[in-house]
Amino acid sequence: MKVLLLKDAKEERGQDPYVRELGLRGLEATLIPVLSFEFLSLPTFWEKLSRPEGYGGLIFTSPRAVEAVELSLEQDGKSEVWRKSLRETWSAKPVYVVGNATASLVKKLGLEAEGESSGNAEKLAECICSREPPALPLLFPCGALKGEVLPQMLKDKGIPMESIIVYRKIPHPGIQVNLDSYYSKQGIPASIAFFSPSGLTYSLEHIRELSGSSIEQIKFAAIGPTTARALAAQGLPVSCTAESPTPQALAAGIRTALQPHSS
């Protein structure tokens, strides 16, 4: 059975881990990227990164926010400044992250990640709230469409935080062409997995058009509760929500959703 994954490829040992996990369960997965990212305010972000003494730690809820750090370091010998002094100062402070993908990028910067088993921002906020509250604000680089759950939970607990928007999501230029090509060659997939509410927004119209009345046969899967809520808001039945945002959990959920139901 065929599964369509609306996400970018992330290669580990030559194959995307989601494609690999689904393959191990006898499912043939194809990736179509639906999002591109535009990075914003990097000089301002760098100024903040250059003053670790003004912050109590860092919060990263997406790999993109860590990429904003990497891009900031690429300009004018800043990576040397990072290596020689800033990295060590930041590494003495907590760096809170959501998910393993974000954690592995944080480790490449030479920092230790905390809270990576938190599957979403709400769980990470609970993790932060359970610690000794910092005297200085936590620096939170985020996307333009950041959820309000984490900032609100921290605010309610009196934990200071300073957010800065460092990227925004834009539609991938090839969505329509790639979906047309997939449907003409592969037909209607048994399942479609969405990885973010914006990915759903940018692709759903094309999927409805291409699927026609067969859309009722498709099992829709979500990487987490926020995406599942976005699917439900569009009137689509959610056949599975991954228990955690990992290849293993999503593949297991899709496999179960596709099992023929015993009477």
Side-chain angles (χ1 to χ4, degrees):
M1 282 189 279
K2 290 174 177 160
V3 177
L4 180 56
L5 303 174
L6 298 175
K7 68 178 285 293
D8 283 340
K10 294 277 185 295
E11 292 196 2
E12 284 178 18
R13 299 192 293 279
Q15 191 180 31
D16 180 271
Y18 286 89
V19 172
R20 186 172 63 243
E21 285 297 325
L22 285 159
L24 292 172
R25 290 165 173 81
L27 299 168
E28 184 189 331
T30 302
L31 299 168
I32 293 183
V34 287
L35 298 176
S36 291
F37 295 90
E38 183 178 23
F39 288 91
L40 312 163
S41 312
L42 293 184
T44 309
F45 183 35
W46 171 252
E47 283 172 24
K48 293 177 188 297
L49 285 173
S50 304
R51 292 188 290 103
E53 67 282 355
Y55 296 98
L58 284 159
I59 301 172
F60 294 109
T61 56
S62 76
R64 235 61 55 197
V66 190
E67 283 172 28
V69 178
E70 292 170 348
L71 287 170
S72 300
L73 297 182
E74 280 173 11
Q75 297 153 357
D76 315 327
K78 291 185 175 112
S79 58
E80 199 166 333
V81 179
W82 175 260
R83 277 199 312 274
K84 285 188 171 168
S85 62
L86 294 177
R87 181 172 63 189
E88 193 176 344
T89 316
W90 277 114
S91 65
K93 300 169 186 284
V95 181
Y96 297 107
V97 305
V98 169
N100 297 329
T102 308
S104 63
L105 288 175
V106 161
K107 285 167 187 167
K108 282 182 189 168
L109 289 173
L111 301 173
E112 281 303 309
E114 294 184 34
E116 63 193 86
S117 59
S118 308
N120 55 50
E122 187 174 348
K123 286 182 183 165
L124 183 65
E126 287 169 7
C127 166
I128 297 169
C129 292
S130 70
R131 307 287 169 89
E132 185 74 26
L136 296 165
L138 298 170
L139 180 59
F140 177 32
C142 55
L145 294 175
K146 75 173 189 305
E148 290 307 317
V149 173
L150 183 140
Q152 192 58 51
M153 285 176 73
L154 297 191
K155 189 179 176 184
D156 291 347
K157 289 281 186 184
I159 294 171
M161 188 199 73
E162 184 182 314
S163 60
I164 174 171
I165 293 170
V166 292
Y167 70 90
R168 70 185 183 105
K169 295 174 182 177
I170 54 176
H172 191 283
I175 296 174
Q176 192 163 359
V177 170
N178 290 336
L179 282 170
D180 286 349
S181 169
Y182 177 87
Y183 271 77
S184 64
K185 289 175 186 165
Q186 310 265 13
I188 310 279
S191 176
I192 300 179
F194 293 94
F195 288 74
S196 70
S198 9
L200 172 68
T201 303
Y202 299 147
S203 59
L204 184 56
E205 190 186 333
H206 304 310
I207 287 166
R208 280 193 161 129
E209 203 175 294
L210 291 163
S211 304
S213 59
S214 302
I215 198 161
E216 292 170 14
Q217 302 161 20
I218 300 170
K219 303 287 187 191
F220 290 103
I223 191 64
T226 309
T227 305
R229 284 193 292 272
L231 273 163
Q234 290 287 353
L236 295 173
V238 183
S239 296
C240 94
T241 303
E243 287 185 5
S244 63
T246 61
Q248 294 81 3
L250 184 70
I254 291 174
R255 177 73 268 180
T256 303
L258 291 172
Q259 299 284 21
H261 292 298
S262 52
S263 53

